[in-house]
Amino acid sequence: MKRSSDVIALPSARPDLAQSYSASDSGIAQAISRAQENLLRQQRPDGHWCGELMVDSTLCSDYVLFMHWCGDVDPQLQQRCVRHIVRRQLPDGGWNIYYGGPSEVNASVKAYFALKLAGCSADAPFMQDARANIMRLGGIPQMNTFSKLYLALLGQFPWKYLPTIPVEMVLLPSWAPFHIYKMSSWSRAMLMPLSIISHFKPTRVLPGEKQLHELYPLGTEQTDLRLPRSEPFWTWRNFFLRVDDTLKFLHPLRLRPMRRRALEEAERWMLERIGEGSDGLATVFPAMLNCLIALRALGYSKKNPVYVKAEKDFAGLFVDDSEDFRIQPCFSPVWDTAINIIALAESGASPEHPA
């Protein structure tokens, strides 16, 4: 039977290393030995591996935005984030989302906004370069909806142009065509706090000098900021956009008899997954940050034990060394351990090795 091209075949037995290089090639053998020693040095006492996940500047940008939305800015932490963001600005003025990549509008707008909130002058040369690059990329209207939500929290994008996320979805039965447990775990952890945020729409009003009017090519009044429909009439995109139009039409009518119960259920669902024994909601940056926002929107104070633990779990993603401050998107002990075990086995480590 022909094997699918997207399936990686793992050998059932350790291959003969002599087939891939000469046993007399001492340079290769020494390199493999050093690589094995390096991996073994990084193994944790309980046997697992977990390396640092390196990503782009958007996580530090998001965190600066979050601190200003909360109205609780840690000046030292903010300054570390600013240094991280500035160091990653590209020669053309923008920021990318992967190493060696081109400037990307979401990363660039969020970096510019974070720097502006942190006190960087919009007239500084590096800010002017950033602004020019963002405008070349189309400005705020070209951002994705997830990034626009963070702008909406700070009053820089109209909530009415964001997709509605009805919290009542948590009440749908398992036999329904759409149900939260028919999503991936990662998507579910993202969507539940977002549904709470979508209900409350908690917005902090910024002073004029901190706003982003300059990143709208045609201004906010002259621009249609709705998500565009696709050309054919019957498409899944158009279907969901019409569903969203219906939800937006019903919202001011307050025909939401199940809203209170749904909010309580969504809150309960979230609390069950951030309590003792958890390292945070899905232990992934976006879900954990959304969880903090949702908790504040629900009325949890900064000193509430639930919020304190969620904030502590979130801070566990921080990496602060002498060279740089950065934030990891998540932890990766499972796949790091699996990959390293395979690497050691395939490079000749004995199955009886203590590791």
Side-chain angles (χ1 to χ4, degrees):
M1 183 175 69
K2 185 177 180 181
R3 184 178 294 274
S4 172
S5 61
D6 62 351
V7 175
I8 299 174
L10 294 177
S12 57
R14 185 164 60 87
D16 182 359
L17 298 182
Q19 294 178 358
S20 55
Y21 72 94
S22 171
S24 62
D25 192 335
S26 60
I28 292 179
Q30 290 174 6
I32 290 174
S33 178
R34 288 196 301 270
Q36 289 177 335
E37 291 172 1
N38 182 54
L39 280 182
L40 293 172
R41 280 196 299 270
Q42 297 179 55
Q43 189 177 27
R44 306 295 174 88
D46 65 357
H48 81 278
W49 281 267
C50 187
E52 180 186 343
L53 284 173
M54 306 290 287
V55 292
D56 52 70
S57 65
T58 57
L59 279 69
C60 279
S61 298
D62 286 342
Y63 190 58
V64 172
L65 269 57
F66 170 72
M67 287 193 288
H68 283 267
W69 175 80
C70 284
D72 184 18
V73 178
D74 181 328
Q76 292 185 343
L77 194 51
Q78 176 174 261
Q79 190 54 39
R80 293 190 187 106
C81 287
V82 166
R83 285 198 296 268
H84 173 93
I85 295 167
V86 171
R87 289 176 62 177
R88 283 158 178 78
Q89 188 174 22
L90 300 176
D92 68 358
W95 284 262
N96 57 24
I97 55 174
Y98 58 89
Y99 182 78
S103 291
E104 197 271 342
V105 66
N106 297 282
S108 298
V109 170
K110 290 198 283 187
Y112 178 90
F113 195 16
L115 294 174
K116 193 172 183 182
L117 289 173
C120 296
S121 171
D123 296 325
F126 70 95
M127 292 289 279
Q128 292 182 21
D129 291 343
R131 188 163 60 250
N133 181 277
I134 290 167
M135 297 303 279
R136 285 196 297 271
L137 294 171
I140 288 174
Q142 294 302 312
M143 297 177 75
N144 62 41
T145 54
F146 185 64
S147 296
K148 288 172 181 174
L149 179 135
Y150 284 110
L151 300 190
L153 289 167
L154 290 160
Q156 301 309 295
F157 190 84
W159 285 98
K160 66 180 180 179
Y161 293 124
L162 290 175
T164 301
I165 307 175
V167 71
E168 288 85 357
M169 65 182 176
V170 73
L171 301 177
L172 292 174
S174 58
W175 48 261
F178 174 82
H179 185 261
I180 62 171
Y181 288 103
K182 291 180 179 178
M183 306 178 193
S184 67
S185 172
W186 190 90
S187 299
R188 188 164 55 246
M190 290 276 292
L191 207 59
M192 293 307 295
L194 281 177
S195 69
I196 296 172
I197 296 169
S198 179
H199 167 76
F200 288 104
K201 297 178 174 57
T203 307
R204 177 172 291 276
V205 178
L206 296 175
E209 67 273 12
K210 299 294 185 183
Q211 298 189 18
L212 295 179
H213 299 298
E214 68 271 24
L215 299 187
Y216 283 92
L218 301 177
T220 55
E221 293 79 11
Q222 288 78 30
T223 305
D224 184 358
L225 299 173
R226 292 176 298 176
L227 291 172
R229 284 177 165 76
S230 53
E231 189 70 25
F233 183 80
W234 291 109
T235 64
W236 279 113
R237 177 184 178 86
N238 288 349
F239 170 78
F240 285 112
L241 287 174
R242 289 187 177 91
V243 169
D244 186 60
D245 288 342
T246 302
L247 292 171
K248 284 180 167 57
F249 173 78
L250 294 174
H251 182 80
L253 302 180
R254 300 193 177 278
L255 300 176
R256 300 172 291 176
M258 306 297 287
R259 179 57 57 94
R260 181 182 295 275
R261 181 186 165 199
L263 283 169
E264 292 172 351
E265 180 62 20
E267 179 182 0
R268 182 196 63 78
W269 185 95
M270 200 167 60
L271 294 179
E272 285 181 350
R273 288 157 179 80
I274 62 174
E276 292 304 319
S278 166
D279 290 324
L281 187 58
T283 322
V284 60
F285 176 92
M288 294 170 76
L289 185 60
N290 291 341
C291 178
L292 290 174
I293 297 170
L295 287 173
R296 295 299 287 267
L298 286 165
Y300 286 76
S301 71
K302 187 173 175 62
K303 295 182 179 180
N304 185 289
V306 172
Y307 186 86
V308 169
K309 182 185 181 301
E311 190 174 44
K312 181 180 178 182
D313 290 338
F314 183 77
L317 298 173
F318 296 173
V319 178
D320 192 4
D321 59 32
S322 58
E323 296 296 324
D324 188 27
F325 172 84
R326 50 200 178 273
I327 303 176
Q328 297 186 82
C330 64
F331 298 122
S332 54
V334 175
W335 66 65
D336 285 359
T337 301
I339 290 170
N340 287 340
I341 288 174
I342 292 172
L344 288 169
E346 295 299 303
S347 63
S350 169
E352 306 303 321
H353 191 284

